[in-house]
Amino acid sequence: MFVRDKILKILKEADGYVSGERISGMLGISRAAVWKHIKALRADGYEILSVTNKGYRLCSEPENILSDRLSAALCTDHIGRNIVYMNKVDSTNEEAKRRADMPDGTLFIAEQQESGKGRLGRLWESPRGGGIWMSLLLRPDIPLGRVSEITLAAGLAVCRAVGCGAMIKWPNDIVIGSRKICGILTEMSAEPDTGTINYVVCGMGINVNIESFPDDLKAKATSLLIETGERHSRDEIAARVLNEFEPVYELLCAEGFGAIREEYARMCVTLGREVRVIYRKNETIGKAADIDENGTLLVDTENGRIPVSSGEVSVRGMYGYA
Ligand code: BT5
């Protein structure tokens, strides 16, 4: 649990005021640090009273701090035109799957995820108010085999929207420098017999106002706040992502990944770098040479050029691969 969430928990469970000294004692942090977190919580819409000799008291929590402003900033036709806003959820991807009968383009967005998901059952840290935790419910008219391209389209949209030198680490990470600022998880449901797509859920997690990460993530994760020293409006950035996503997604559905390949390749930090990939169950080292018309990464190894269409790719110099 992040410090700010712990402070929030203490305030919520308190019957009245809690002194800064008591919070600092309970969490083993300085009173100045407590104050800093209180200020950050206030900036996110929590109304917290502070009274000399008494301490802090939580008066109210922010409500729908994202959805109204987000809608106002959208200029899409159907992406995000229907919004399911949640204060707290296990995972926006899971919620989208549970409510897959909702209209195409519906956005599921939450202030906090209690079991945010990465790939392969990994966890995605999604602290309250710290980022954009959202999933789009989509019904693309494309063959099953091309669904993974949607992850690439989302990556491009996030990259454009975030700016700040963000680049794509193929296939599903957005990084600034060598640290990850966003992860994308695309899941789908299809008919096994006919291969017809029922729906696709494209989940994006973007670290916006996270001040610091737990120790195990410090070296590989970053946020816009950490990169720029400033807090950013999550609803504005979410709207920018959706505004960028719609045309890229439509182009991709109509013409295939080839139509966005050039821009994707320009934004892709993986190309030209030494990579370690799992290929046919073996670990292979090579140089990421290109991305083909289907979004497949092409890696030059001592046994020639190999296609990597999914799975794990470590880029030398990033996330601790030295
Ligand atoms: C991903 O998985 O990068 C996909 C993450 C997708 C998250 C979104 S949030 C909205 C939607 N709802 C969900 O439940 N999920 C999606 P993967 O490549 O497997 O990376 C996971 C790894 O990234 C973890 O094992 C950690 O090492 C690291 N990680 C966890 N939380 C992070 C964070 N907030 N920022 C950066 N790295 C993180």
Side-chain angles (χ1 to χ4, degrees), residues 115 162 212:
S115 327
V162 162
S212 65

Side-chain angles (χ1 to χ4, degrees), residues 2 90-94 113 115-120 122-127 132-135 172-173 180-185 187 202-207 210 213 216-217 220-222 312:
F2 287 77
D90 52 352
S91 145
T92 53
N93 268 36
E94 289 304 314
Q113 294 186 119
S115 327
K117 299 193 312 177
R119 292 176 302 163
L120 308 169
R122 291 189 284 241
L123 277 180
W124 182 259
E125 290 281 351
S126 324
I132 299 167
W133 324 125
M134 66 180 183
S135 303
N172 73 317
D173 293 354
K180 180 161 167 174
I181 194 151
C182 162
I184 298 165
L185 177 68
E187 300 181 272
C202 180
M204 307 172 213
I206 308 172
N207 304 325
I210 296 182
F213 286 89
D216 58 326
L217 285 179
K220 49 184 175 183
T222 190
E312 297 296 283

Side-chain angles (χ1 to χ4, degrees), residues 152 168-171 257 264-265 268-277 279 286-300 305-315:
L152 309 181
I168 307 163
K169 177 182 166 288
W170 184 93
F257 175 74
Y264 187 94
C268 182
V269 74
T270 315
L271 289 183
R273 305 275 286 261
E274 188 178 310
V275 292
R276 190 171 58 198
V277 299
Y279 183 66
K287 187 173 164 196
D290 205 355
I291 295 172
D292 73 10
E293 296 287 304
N294 307 313
T296 304
L297 186 70
L298 304 174
V299 178
D300 286 341
R305 185 164 280 198
I306 57 167
V308 181
S309 52
S310 65
E312 297 296 283
V313 176
S314 313
V315 178

Side-chain angles (χ1 to χ4, degrees), residues 242-287:
L242 301 176
N243 288 340
E244 294 290 355
F245 178 76
E246 187 173 271
V248 175
Y249 169 71
E250 280 174 358
L251 189 62
L252 182 105
C253 290
E255 297 180 23
F257 175 74
I260 61 166
R261 177 178 163 274
E262 219 179 278
E263 186 184 354
Y264 187 94
R266 257 200 325 273
M267 300 260 201
C268 182
V269 74
T270 315
L271 289 183
R273 305 275 286 261
E274 188 178 310
V275 292
R276 190 171 58 198
V277 299
I278 309 290
Y279 183 66
R280 296 191 176 145
K281 294 193 179 146
N282 288 319
E283 199 175 284
T284 310
I285 289 186
K287 187 173 164 196

